[in-house]
Amino acid sequence: YDFTNPEKPWNDDNAIASNDGWNWTADNKQNDKFGFIADSIEGGEHLAVSLKGGRFGKVEVSYVTSYENFGTALAWIDDNIPNIHKQCIMNGEFARQIPENADLFFARAGGGVSVPIAELMTRFSLKEGERKVFHLCLAPRLPNVKDGNKFKLVGVRVY
C-alpha cells in the first residue's frame, strides 16, 4: 500500500481494518506529502492494515525519519484487529513488554533533514496467500526527549 497517493482516500479504504488516532493527511506547506500520521506525547494511537502474504514472506514498512519532533512506533502482525499491545511502554532507547513478533521503528534521525526510509520487519514473515493484520502503535515519547512524538507511515509493502 502506498499511503502517499493523494488521489486514493485511504480513510475510507477496506485495507484499513482499524484506525484509532491516525490521520491520513499531508503535513507540508505544499500539501502534497501524504501519509498516516500520529502525534501525541502519551502514545497509544493504533492503525491496523489488512495484508495478504507475498511470494517471499517479507513485509516492508516505509516511514519518514526526521531530526526533530519524531518518535517511535511498535509494529507487529497477527490475526486480531484490536490493539492487543495498547500498553507498549518505552524506557529510554529500549522497549519493555515487546512481544516476540514485534519490531520497533525509530523515526528520529540526525542530519537536519526529513527523509523517508523503508525497513523490513525482522520478527515476522507471511506465507504466500496468508491473510493477516499489520499493526502500528505509536509509543509514548521517550523520557529524555523534550519535543514532539510524531510518526508518519507512508507505505506497507508485501513481497
Side-chain angles (χ1 to χ4, degrees):
Y1 301 110
D2 176 7
F3 299 129
T4 64
N5 183 351
E7 296 180 15
K8 181 156 181 58
W10 285 105
N11 287 330
D12 299 324
D13 192 272
N14 290 334
I16 307 304
S18 176
N19 183 351
D20 179 17
W22 291 78
N23 294 306
W24 180 73
T25 188
D27 62 344
N28 63 330
K29 290 179 185 177
Q30 294 79 15
N31 204 35
D32 62 353
K33 294 184 179 178
F34 283 81
F36 272 103
I37 298 171
D39 189 0
S40 84
I41 292 169
E42 298 81 19
E45 287 75 3
H46 173 253
L47 182 70
V49 180
S50 299
L51 295 181
K52 182 178 177 184
R55 181 176 176 194
F56 301 104
K58 301 295 180 189
V59 177
E60 176 188 86
V61 179
S62 301
Y63 59 97
V64 174
T65 64
S66 186
Y67 59 100
E68 64 181 358
N69 296 319
F70 274 64
T72 304
L74 178 71
W76 71 95
I77 295 173
D78 63 20
D79 295 317
N80 303 304
I81 291 176
N83 181 3
I84 62 171
H85 300 297
K86 181 92 172 155
Q87 304 303 322
C88 50
I89 299 171
M90 302 300 299
N91 180 18
E93 290 295 318
F94 302 98
R96 297 180 295 168
Q97 301 176 357
I98 292 192
E100 287 183 17
N101 67 337
D103 286 290
L104 279 174
F105 294 109
F106 296 94
R108 182 176 295 271
V113 296
S114 298
V115 295
I117 66 168
E119 290 190 59
L120 291 176
M121 292 191 72
T122 59
R123 298 182 180 209
F124 192 90
S125 61
L126 276 173
K127 295 178 181 142
E128 188 170 5
E130 182 179 31
R131 294 196 177 273
K132 295 281 184 181
V133 179
F134 165 82
H135 300 267
L136 195 64
C137 180
L138 182 67
R141 184 177 71 186
L142 299 173
N144 60 332
V145 174
K146 301 301 178 213
D147 59 7
N149 190 43
K150 178 178 175 179
F151 198 93
K152 182 176 182 179
L153 178 69
V154 295
V156 177
R157 181 178 288 173
V158 177
Y159 296 98

